[in-house]
Coordinates of all heavy atoms in Angstrom, one line a residue:
A1175 N 30.5 -22.3 -53.6 CA 30.5 -23.6 -52.9 C 29.2 -23.8 -52.2 O 28.6 -24.9 -52.2 CB 31.7 -23.7 -52.0
L1176 N 28.6 -22.8 -51.6 CA 27.4 -22.9 -50.9 C 26.2 -23.3 -51.8 O 25.4 -24.1 -51.4 CB 27.1 -21.6 -50.1 CG 28.0 -21.3 -48.9 CD1 27.7 -20.0 -48.3 CD2 28.0 -22.4 -47.9
Q1177 N 26.1 -22.6 -52.9 CA 25.0 -23.0 -53.9 C 25.2 -24.4 -54.4 O 24.2 -25.1 -54.5 CB 25.0 -22.0 -55.0 CG 23.8 -22.1 -56.0 CD 23.8 -21.1 -57.0 OE1 24.7 -20.2 -57.1 NE2 22.7 -21.0 -57.8
M1178 N 26.4 -24.8 -54.6 CA 26.6 -26.2 -55.1 C 26.2 -27.2 -54.0 O 25.5 -28.2 -54.3 CB 28.1 -26.4 -55.4 CG 28.5 -27.8 -55.7 SD 30.3 -27.9 -56.1 CE 31.0 -27.5 -54.5
L1179 N 26.5 -26.9 -52.7 CA 26.1 -27.8 -51.6 C 24.6 -27.8 -51.4 O 24.0 -28.8 -51.1 CB 26.8 -27.3 -50.3 CG 28.3 -27.6 -50.2 CD1 28.8 -27.1 -49.0 CD2 28.5 -29.1 -50.4
A1180 N 23.9 -26.7 -51.7 CA 22.4 -26.7 -51.6 C 21.9 -27.6 -52.7 O 20.9 -28.3 -52.4 CB 21.9 -25.2 -51.8
T1181 N 22.4 -27.6 -53.8 CA 22.0 -28.5 -54.9 C 22.2 -29.9 -54.6 O 21.4 -30.8 -54.8 CB 22.7 -28.1 -56.2 OG1 22.5 -26.7 -56.5 CG2 22.2 -29.0 -57.4
V1182 N 23.4 -30.2 -54.0 CA 23.7 -31.6 -53.6 C 22.7 -32.0 -52.5 O 22.2 -33.2 -52.5 CB 25.1 -31.7 -53.1 CG1 25.4 -33.1 -52.4 CG2 26.1 -31.5 -54.2
K1183 N 22.4 -31.2 -51.5 CA 21.5 -31.5 -50.4 C 20.1 -31.8 -51.0 O 19.5 -32.8 -50.6 CB 21.5 -30.4 -49.4 CG 20.6 -30.7 -48.2 CD 20.6 -29.6 -47.2 CE 19.7 -30.0 -46.1 NZ 19.5 -28.9 -45.1
K1184 N 19.7 -31.0 -51.9 CA 18.4 -31.2 -52.5 C 18.3 -32.5 -53.3 O 17.3 -33.3 -53.2 CB 18.0 -30.1 -53.4 CG 16.6 -30.1 -54.0 CD 16.3 -28.9 -54.8 CE 14.9 -29.0 -55.4 NZ 14.5 -27.8 -56.2
A1185 N 19.4 -32.9 -54.0 CA 19.4 -34.1 -54.8 C 19.5 -35.4 -53.9 O 19.0 -36.4 -54.3 CB 20.6 -34.1 -55.7
C1186 N 20.2 -35.3 -52.8 CA 20.3 -36.5 -52.0 C 19.7 -36.4 -50.6 O 20.0 -37.3 -49.7 CB 21.8 -36.9 -51.9 SG 22.9 -35.8 -51.0
D1187 N 18.9 -35.5 -50.4 CA 18.1 -35.3 -49.1 C 18.9 -34.8 -47.9 O 18.3 -34.1 -47.1 CB 17.3 -36.5 -48.7 CG 16.3 -36.9 -49.8 OD1 15.6 -36.0 -50.3 OD2 16.1 -38.2 -50.0
D1188 N 20.1 -35.1 -47.8 CA 20.9 -34.7 -46.6 C 22.4 -34.8 -47.0 O 22.8 -35.7 -47.6 CB 20.6 -35.6 -45.5 CG 21.1 -35.1 -44.1 OD1 22.2 -34.7 -44.1 OD2 20.3 -35.1 -43.2
L1189 N 23.2 -33.8 -46.5 CA 24.6 -33.8 -46.8 C 25.3 -35.0 -46.1 O 26.4 -35.4 -46.5 CB 25.3 -32.5 -46.4 CG 24.9 -31.3 -47.3 CD1 25.6 -30.0 -46.7 CD2 25.2 -31.5 -48.7
D1190 N 24.6 -35.6 -45.1 CA 25.2 -36.8 -44.5 C 25.2 -38.0 -45.5 O 25.9 -39.0 -45.2 CB 24.4 -37.2 -43.3 CG 24.7 -36.3 -42.1 OD1 25.7 -35.6 -42.1 OD2 23.8 -36.2 -41.2
N1191 N 24.5 -37.9 -46.6 CA 24.5 -38.9 -47.6 C 25.6 -38.8 -48.6 O 25.8 -39.7 -49.5 CB 23.1 -38.9 -48.4 CG 22.0 -39.4 -47.5 OD1 22.2 -40.3 -46.7 ND2 20.8 -38.8 -47.7
V1192 N 26.5 -37.8 -48.4 CA 27.7 -37.7 -49.3 C 28.7 -38.7 -48.8 O 29.1 -38.6 -47.6 CB 28.2 -36.3 -49.3 CG1 29.6 -36.2 -50.0 CG2 27.2 -35.3 -49.9
K1193 N 29.1 -39.6 -49.7 CA 30.2 -40.6 -49.3 C 31.6 -40.1 -49.6 O 32.5 -40.3 -48.9 CB 29.9 -41.9 -50.1 CG 28.7 -42.7 -49.6 CD 28.5 -43.9 -50.5 CE 29.6 -44.9 -50.3 NZ 29.3 -46.2 -51.1
K1194 N 31.7 -39.3 -50.7 CA 33.0 -38.8 -51.1 C 32.8 -37.7 -52.2 O 31.9 -37.8 -53.0 CB 33.8 -40.0 -51.8 CG 35.2 -39.7 -52.3 CD 36.1 -39.6 -51.1 CE 37.5 -39.3 -51.6 NZ 38.3 -38.4 -50.8
I1195 N 33.7 -36.7 -52.1 CA 33.8 -35.7 -53.2 C 34.9 -36.2 -54.1 O 36.1 -36.4 -53.6 CB 34.1 -34.3 -52.6 CG1 33.0 -33.9 -51.6 CG2 34.2 -33.3 -53.7 CD1 33.3 -32.6 -50.9
I1196 N 34.6 -36.5 -55.3 CA 35.5 -37.1 -56.2 C 36.4 -36.0 -56.9 O 37.6 -36.1 -56.9 CB 34.8 -37.9 -57.3 CG1 33.8 -38.9 -56.7 CG2 35.8 -38.6 -58.3 CD1 34.5 -40.0 -55.9
K1197 N 35.8 -35.0 -57.5 CA 36.5 -34.0 -58.2 C 35.8 -32.7 -58.2 O 34.6 -32.6 -58.2 CB 36.8 -34.4 -59.7 CG 37.6 -33.4 -60.4 CD 38.1 -34.0 -61.7 CE 39.0 -32.9 -62.3 NZ 39.8 -33.4 -63.4
V1198 N 36.6 -31.6 -58.1 CA 36.1 -30.3 -58.2 C 36.8 -29.6 -59.3 O 38.0 -29.7 -59.4 CB 36.3 -29.5 -56.8 CG1 35.9 -28.0 -57.0 CG2 35.6 -30.2 -55.7
I1199 N 36.0 -28.9 -60.2 CA 36.6 -28.1 -61.3 C 36.1 -26.7 -61.2 O 34.9 -26.4 -61.0 CB 36.1 -28.7 -62.6 CG1 36.4 -30.2 -62.7 CG2 36.7 -27.9 -63.8 CD1 35.7 -30.9 -63.8
G1200 N 37.1 -25.8 -61.2 CA 36.8 -24.4 -61.1 C 37.2 -23.6 -62.3 O 38.3 -23.7 -62.8
F1201 N 36.3 -22.8 -62.8 CA 36.6 -21.9 -63.9 C 36.6 -20.5 -63.4 O 35.6 -20.0 -62.8 CB 35.5 -22.0 -65.0 CG 35.4 -23.4 -65.6 CD1 34.5 -24.3 -65.0 CD2 36.1 -23.8 -66.7 CE1 34.4 -25.6 -65.6 CE2 36.0 -25.0 -67.2 CZ 35.2 -26.0 -66.7
V1202 N 37.8 -19.9 -63.4 CA 38.0 -18.6 -62.8 C 38.2 -17.5 -63.9 O 39.0 -17.6 -64.8 CB 39.3 -18.6 -61.9 CG1 39.6 -17.3 -61.3 CG2 39.3 -19.8 -60.9
N1203 N 37.3 -16.5 -63.8 CA 37.4 -15.4 -64.7 C 38.7 -14.6 -64.5 O 38.9 -14.1 -63.4 CB 36.1 -14.5 -64.5 CG 36.0 -13.5 -65.6 OD1 36.8 -13.3 -66.5 ND2 34.8 -12.9 -65.6
S1204 N 39.5 -14.6 -65.5 CA 40.9 -14.1 -65.3 C 41.3 -13.2 -66.5 O 40.9 -13.5 -67.6 CB 41.9 -15.2 -65.2 OG 41.5 -16.2 -64.2
T1205 N 42.3 -12.3 -66.2 CA 43.0 -11.7 -67.3 C 44.1 -12.6 -67.8 O 44.4 -13.6 -67.2 CB 43.6 -10.4 -66.8 OG1 44.5 -10.7 -65.7 CG2 42.6 -9.4 -66.3
N1206 N 44.6 -12.3 -69.0 CA 45.6 -13.1 -69.6 C 46.9 -13.3 -68.7 O 47.6 -14.3 -68.8 CB 46.0 -12.6 -70.9 CG 44.9 -12.8 -72.0 OD1 44.0 -13.6 -71.8 ND2 45.0 -12.0 -73.0
D1207 N 47.2 -12.3 -67.9 CA 48.4 -12.4 -67.1 C 48.2 -12.9 -65.7 O 49.1 -13.0 -64.9 CB 49.1 -11.0 -67.0 CG 48.3 -9.9 -66.4 OD1 47.1 -10.1 -66.3 OD2 48.9 -8.9 -66.1
F1208 N 47.0 -13.3 -65.3 CA 46.7 -13.8 -64.0 C 47.0 -15.3 -64.0 O 46.4 -16.0 -64.8 CB 45.2 -13.6 -63.6 CG 44.9 -14.0 -62.2 CD1 45.3 -13.3 -61.1 CD2 44.1 -15.2 -62.0 CE1 44.9 -13.7 -59.8 CE2 43.8 -15.6 -60.7 CZ 44.2 -14.9 -59.6
T1209 N 47.8 -15.8 -63.0 CA 48.2 -17.2 -63.0 C 47.9 -17.9 -61.7 O 48.4 -18.9 -61.4 CB 49.7 -17.3 -63.4 OG1 50.4 -16.6 -62.4 CG2 49.9 -16.8 -64.8
S1210 N 47.0 -17.3 -60.9 CA 46.8 -17.8 -59.5 C 45.4 -18.5 -59.4 O 44.8 -18.4 -58.3 CB 47.0 -16.7 -58.5 OG 48.3 -16.3 -58.5
Q1211 N 44.9 -19.1 -60.5 CA 43.6 -19.7 -60.4 C 43.6 -20.8 -59.3 O 42.5 -20.9 -58.6 CB 43.3 -20.4 -61.8 CG 43.0 -19.4 -62.9 CD 44.2 -18.8 -63.5 OE1 45.3 -19.2 -63.3 NE2 44.0 -17.9 -64.5
A1212 N 44.6 -21.5 -59.1 CA 44.6 -22.6 -58.1 C 44.5 -22.0 -56.7 O 43.8 -22.5 -55.8 CB 45.9 -23.4 -58.2
T1213 N 45.1 -20.8 -56.5 CA 44.9 -20.1 -55.2 C 43.5 -19.7 -55.0 O 42.9 -19.8 -53.8 CB 45.8 -18.9 -55.1 OG1 47.2 -19.3 -55.4 CG2 45.8 -18.2 -53.8
V1214 N 42.8 -19.3 -56.0 CA 41.4 -18.9 -55.9 C 40.6 -20.1 -55.5 O 39.7 -20.0 -54.7 CB 40.9 -18.3 -57.2 CG1 39.4 -18.0 -57.2 CG2 41.6 -17.0 -57.5
M1215 N 40.9 -21.2 -56.1 CA 40.1 -22.5 -55.8 C 40.4 -23.0 -54.4 O 39.6 -23.9 -53.9 CB 40.4 -23.5 -56.9 CG 39.7 -23.2 -58.2 SD 37.9 -23.2 -58.1 CE 37.6 -24.9 -57.5
N1216 N 41.5 -22.6 -53.8 CA 41.8 -23.1 -52.5 C 40.6 -22.8 -51.5 O 40.4 -23.6 -50.6 CB 43.1 -22.5 -51.9 CG 44.3 -23.1 -52.5 OD1 44.2 -24.2 -53.2 ND2 45.4 -22.4 -52.4
G1217 N 39.9 -21.7 -51.7 CA 38.8 -21.4 -50.8 C 37.8 -22.5 -50.8 O 37.3 -22.9 -49.8
C1218 N 37.4 -22.9 -52.0 CA 36.4 -24.0 -52.1 C 36.9 -25.3 -51.6 O 36.2 -25.9 -50.8 CB 36.0 -24.1 -53.6 SG 34.8 -25.4 -53.9
S1219 N 38.1 -25.7 -52.0 CA 38.6 -27.0 -51.5 C 38.8 -27.0 -50.0 O 38.5 -28.0 -49.3 CB 40.0 -27.2 -52.2 OG 39.8 -27.5 -53.6
D1220 N 39.3 -25.9 -49.4 CA 39.5 -25.8 -48.0 C 38.1 -25.9 -47.3 O 38.0 -26.6 -46.2 CB 40.2 -24.6 -47.6 CG 41.7 -24.5 -48.0 OD1 42.2 -25.6 -48.4 OD2 42.3 -23.4 -48.0
F1221 N 37.1 -25.2 -47.8 CA 35.8 -25.2 -47.2 C 35.2 -26.6 -47.2 O 34.7 -27.1 -46.2 CB 34.9 -24.3 -47.9 CG 33.4 -24.3 -47.5 CD1 33.1 -23.8 -46.2 CD2 32.5 -24.8 -48.3 CE1 31.7 -23.9 -45.8 CE2 31.2 -24.9 -47.9 CZ 30.8 -24.4 -46.7
L1222 N 35.3 -27.3 -48.3 CA 34.8 -28.7 -48.4 C 35.5 -29.6 -47.5 O 34.9 -30.5 -46.9 CB 34.8 -29.2 -49.9 CG 33.9 -28.5 -50.9 CD1 34.2 -28.9 -52.3 CD2 32.5 -28.6 -50.5
G1223 N 36.8 -29.5 -47.4 CA 37.6 -30.3 -46.5 C 37.2 -30.0 -45.0 O 37.1 -31.0 -44.2
D1224 N 37.0 -28.8 -44.7 CA 36.6 -28.4 -43.3 C 35.2 -29.0 -43.0 O 35.0 -29.5 -41.9 CB 36.6 -26.9 -43.1 CG 38.0 -26.3 -43.1 OD1 39.0 -27.1 -42.9 OD2 38.1 -25.1 -43.2
L1225 N 34.3 -28.9 -43.9 CA 32.9 -29.3 -43.7 C 32.8 -30.8 -43.6 O 32.1 -31.3 -42.7 CB 32.1 -28.8 -44.9 CG 30.6 -29.1 -44.8 CD1 29.9 -28.4 -43.6 CD2 29.9 -28.7 -46.1
F1226 N 33.4 -31.6 -44.5 CA 33.3 -33.0 -44.6 C 34.4 -33.8 -44.0 O 34.3 -35.0 -43.8 CB 33.1 -33.4 -46.1 CG 31.8 -33.0 -46.7 CD1 31.8 -32.0 -47.6 CD2 30.7 -33.7 -46.5 CE1 30.6 -31.6 -48.2 CE2 29.5 -33.3 -47.1 CZ 29.4 -32.3 -47.9
G1227 N 35.5 -33.2 -43.7 CA 36.7 -33.9 -43.2 C 37.5 -34.5 -44.3 O 37.0 -34.6 -45.4
L1228 N 38.7 -34.9 -44.0 CA 39.6 -35.3 -45.1 C 39.1 -36.6 -45.8 O 39.3 -36.7 -47.0 CB 41.0 -35.6 -44.5 CG 41.8 -34.3 -44.3 CD1 43.2 -34.7 -43.7 CD2 42.0 -33.5 -45.6
E1229 N 38.6 -37.5 -45.1 CA 38.2 -38.8 -45.7 C 37.1 -38.6 -46.8 O 37.2 -39.2 -47.8 CB 37.6 -39.8 -44.6 CG 37.3 -41.1 -45.2 CD 36.9 -42.1 -44.1 OE1 37.4 -42.0 -42.9 OE2 36.1 -43.0 -44.4
I1230 N 36.2 -37.8 -46.5 CA 35.1 -37.5 -47.5 C 35.5 -36.3 -48.4 O 35.2 -36.3 -49.6 CB 33.8 -37.3 -46.8 CG1 33.3 -38.5 -46.1 CG2 32.7 -36.8 -47.8 CD1 32.1 -38.4 -45.2
G1231 N 36.0 -35.3 -47.8 CA 36.2 -34.0 -48.5 C 37.4 -33.9 -49.4 O 37.5 -33.0 -50.2
Q1232 N 38.4 -34.7 -49.2 CA 39.6 -34.6 -50.0 C 39.3 -35.1 -51.4 O 38.7 -36.1 -51.6 CB 40.8 -35.5 -49.4 CG 42.1 -35.2 -50.1 CD 43.2 -35.9 -49.3 OE1 43.0 -36.9 -48.7 NE2 44.4 -35.3 -49.3
H1233 N 39.7 -34.3 -52.4 CA 39.3 -34.5 -53.8 C 40.4 -34.1 -54.8 O 41.3 -33.4 -54.4 CB 38.0 -33.7 -54.1 CG 38.2 -32.3 -53.8 ND1 37.9 -31.8 -52.5 CD2 38.6 -31.2 -54.5 CE1 38.1 -30.5 -52.5 NE2 38.6 -30.1 -53.7
S1234 N 40.3 -34.6 -56.0 CA 41.2 -34.1 -57.1 C 40.5 -32.8 -57.5 O 39.4 -32.5 -57.3 CB 41.3 -35.1 -58.2 OG 40.1 -35.3 -58.8
R1235 N 41.3 -31.9 -58.2 CA 40.8 -30.6 -58.5 C 41.5 -30.1 -59.8 O 42.7 -30.3 -60.0 CB 41.1 -29.7 -57.4 CG 40.5 -28.3 -57.6 CD 40.8 -27.4 -56.5 NE 42.2 -26.9 -56.6 CZ 42.8 -26.1 -55.7 NH1 42.2 -25.8 -54.6 NH2 44.1 -25.7 -56.0
S1236 N 40.8 -29.3 -60.6 CA 41.3 -28.6 -61.7 C 40.9 -27.1 -61.5 O 39.8 -26.8 -61.1 CB 40.7 -29.1 -63.0 OG 41.1 -30.4 -63.2
A1237 N 41.8 -26.2 -61.8 CA 41.5 -24.8 -61.8 C 41.9 -24.2 -63.2 O 43.0 -24.3 -63.6 CB 42.3 -24.1 -60.7
I1238 N 40.9 -23.7 -63.8 CA 41.1 -23.2 -65.2 C 40.8 -21.8 -65.4 O 39.7 -21.3 -64.9 CB 40.1 -24.1 -66.2 CG1 40.4 -25.6 -66.0 CG2 40.3 -23.6 -67.6 CD1 39.4 -26.5 -66.5
G1239 N 41.6 -21.0 -66.0 CA 41.4 -19.6 -66.2 C 40.7 -19.4 -67.5 O 41.0 -20.0 -68.5
V1240 N 39.6 -18.6 -67.5 CA 38.8 -18.2 -68.7 C 38.7 -16.7 -68.7 O 38.8 -16.0 -67.7 CB 37.4 -18.9 -68.6 CG1 37.6 -20.4 -68.7 CG2 36.6 -18.5 -67.4
N1241 N 38.4 -16.2 -69.9 CA 38.3 -14.8 -70.0 C 36.9 -14.2 -69.9 O 36.7 -13.0 -69.8 CB 38.9 -14.3 -71.3 CG 38.1 -14.7 -72.6 OD1 37.2 -15.5 -72.5 ND2 38.4 -14.1 -73.7
V1242 N 35.9 -15.1 -69.8 CA 34.5 -14.7 -69.6 C 33.7 -15.8 -69.0 O 33.9 -17.0 -69.4 CB 33.8 -14.0 -70.8 CG1 33.6 -15.1 -71.9 CG2 32.6 -13.3 -70.5
L1243 N 32.7 -15.5 -68.2 CA 31.8 -16.6 -67.6 C 30.4 -16.0 -67.8 O 30.2 -14.8 -67.8 CB 32.1 -16.9 -66.2 CG 33.4 -17.7 -65.9 CD1 33.7 -17.7 -64.4 CD2 33.2 -19.1 -66.4
P1244 N 29.4 -16.9 -67.8 CA 28.0 -16.5 -68.0 C 27.6 -15.5 -66.9 O 28.0 -15.7 -65.7 CB 27.2 -17.8 -67.9 CG 28.2 -18.9 -68.3 CD 29.5 -18.4 -67.8
L1245 N 26.8 -14.6 -67.2 CA 26.1 -13.6 -66.3 C 27.2 -12.8 -65.5 O 26.9 -12.3 -64.4 CB 25.2 -14.3 -65.4 CG 24.1 -15.2 -66.0 CD1 23.3 -15.9 -65.0 CD2 23.1 -14.2 -66.8
G1246 N 28.4 -12.7 -66.1 CA 29.4 -11.9 -65.4 C 30.0 -12.5 -64.1 O 30.6 -11.8 -63.3
A1247 N 29.8 -13.8 -64.0 CA 30.3 -14.5 -62.8 C 31.8 -14.4 -62.7 O 32.5 -14.4 -63.7 CB 29.8 -16.0 -62.8
S1248 N 32.4 -14.4 -61.5 CA 33.8 -14.4 -61.4 C 34.4 -15.8 -61.3 O 35.5 -16.0 -61.5 CB 34.2 -13.6 -60.1 OG 33.5 -14.0 -59.0
I1249 N 33.5 -16.8 -60.8 CA 34.0 -18.1 -60.7 C 32.8 -19.1 -61.0 O 31.6 -18.7 -60.6 CB 34.6 -18.4 -59.4 CG1 35.3 -19.8 -59.4 CG2 33.7 -18.3 -58.2 CD1 36.2 -20.0 -58.2
E1250 N 33.0 -20.2 -61.6 CA 32.0 -21.2 -61.7 C 32.6 -22.5 -61.3 O 33.7 -22.9 -61.7 CB 31.5 -21.3 -63.2 CG 30.4 -22.3 -63.4 CD 29.8 -22.1 -64.8 OE1 29.5 -21.0 -65.2 OE2 29.5 -23.2 -65.4
I1251 N 31.9 -23.3 -60.4 CA 32.5 -24.5 -59.9 C 31.5 -25.6 -60.2 O 30.3 -25.5 -60.0 CB 32.6 -24.4 -58.3 CG1 33.6 -23.2 -58.0 CG2 33.1 -25.7 -57.7 CD1 33.6 -22.9 -56.5
E1252 N 32.1 -26.7 -60.6 CA 31.3 -28.0 -60.8 C 32.1 -29.1 -60.0 O 33.3 -29.0 -59.8 CB 31.1 -28.3 -62.2 CG 32.3 -28.8 -63.0 CD 32.0 -29.2 -64.4 OE1 31.4 -28.4 -65.2 OE2 32.4 -30.3 -64.8
A1253 N 31.3 -30.1 -59.6 CA 31.9 -31.1 -58.8 C 31.2 -32.4 -59.0 O 30.1 -32.5 -59.4 CB 31.9 -30.8 -57.3
I1254 N 32.0 -33.5 -58.8 CA 31.4 -34.9 -58.8 C 31.4 -35.4 -57.4 O 32.4 -35.4 -56.7 CB 32.3 -35.8 -59.7 CG1 32.3 -35.2 -61.2 CG2 31.7 -37.2 -59.7 CD1 33.3 -35.9 -62.1
F1255 N 30.2 -35.8 -56.9 CA 30.0 -36.3 -55.6 C 29.6 -37.8 -55.7 O 28.8 -38.1 -56.5 CB 28.9 -35.5 -54.9 CG 29.3 -34.2 -54.4 CD1 29.3 -33.1 -55.3 CD2 29.6 -33.9 -53.1 CE1 29.7 -31.8 -54.9 CE2 29.9 -32.6 -52.6 CZ 29.9 -31.6 -53.5
E1256 N 30.1 -38.6 -54.8 CA 29.6 -39.9 -54.6 C 28.6 -39.9 -53.4 O 29.0 -39.4 -52.4 CB 30.7 -40.9 -54.3 CG 30.2 -42.4 -54.1 CD 31.3 -43.3 -53.8 OE1 32.5 -42.9 -53.7 OE2 30.9 -44.5 -53.5
V1257 N 27.4 -40.4 -53.6 CA 26.4 -40.3 -52.6 C 25.8 -41.7 -52.3 O 26.0 -42.6 -53.1 CB 25.2 -39.4 -52.9 CG1 25.7 -37.9 -53.1 CG2 24.5 -39.8 -54.2
K1258 N 25.3 -41.9 -51.1 CA 24.7 -43.1 -50.7 C 23.4 -43.4 -51.4 O 22.7 -42.5 -51.8 CB 24.4 -43.1 -49.2 CG 25.7 -43.0 -48.4 CD 25.3 -42.9 -46.9 CE 26.6 -42.6 -46.1 NZ 26.3 -42.3 -44.7

């Protein structure tokens, strides 16, 4: 989540320019029998809610289990932000 926010800040000059987080999608590297991808994504969603508050930080979300991610990553997160 921190790397994603650094990218957003660079793109819009300041995180105060974020009007709304629209959607967060998380790809979680998982075994076939792991079914708690949504729980893994709670960390990101909770962090964004704490940082931006409910009005801006509340978003829709998808959590998807995958068997491999690039560079051995355990999670990959993408998001859609509305900015000023």
Side-chain angles (χ1 to χ4, degrees):
L1176 291 175
Q1177 186 173 7
M1178 176 181 63
L1179 288 176
T1181 302
V1182 171
K1183 182 178 179 184
K1184 186 175 180 180
C1186 67
D1187 296 322
D1188 193 312
L1189 291 179
D1190 288 337
N1191 290 325
V1192 173
K1193 289 175 65 175
K1194 181 77 179 143
I1195 301 172
I1196 307 298
K1197 182 167 184 165
V1198 175
I1199 305 166
F1201 299 90
V1202 181
N1203 193 349
S1204 310
T1205 59
N1206 289 340
D1207 60 343
F1208 183 76
T1209 59
S1210 296
Q1211 290 83 2
T1213 303
V1214 173
M1215 285 300 298
N1216 283 347
C1218 177
S1219 291
D1220 292 347
F1221 174 70
L1222 294 172
D1224 290 346
L1225 182 66
F1226 289 103
L1228 282 178
E1229 187 175 325
I1230 295 171
Q1232 191 172 30
H1233 54 270
S1234 63
R1235 184 183 80 186
S1236 298
I1238 302 163
V1240 297
N1241 68 349
V1242 67
L1243 286 169
L1245 304 173
S1248 54
I1249 190 166
E1250 186 168 318
I1251 300 170
E1252 71 178 54
I1254 300 169
F1255 286 77
E1256 179 183 359
V1257 296
K1258 297 177 187 174

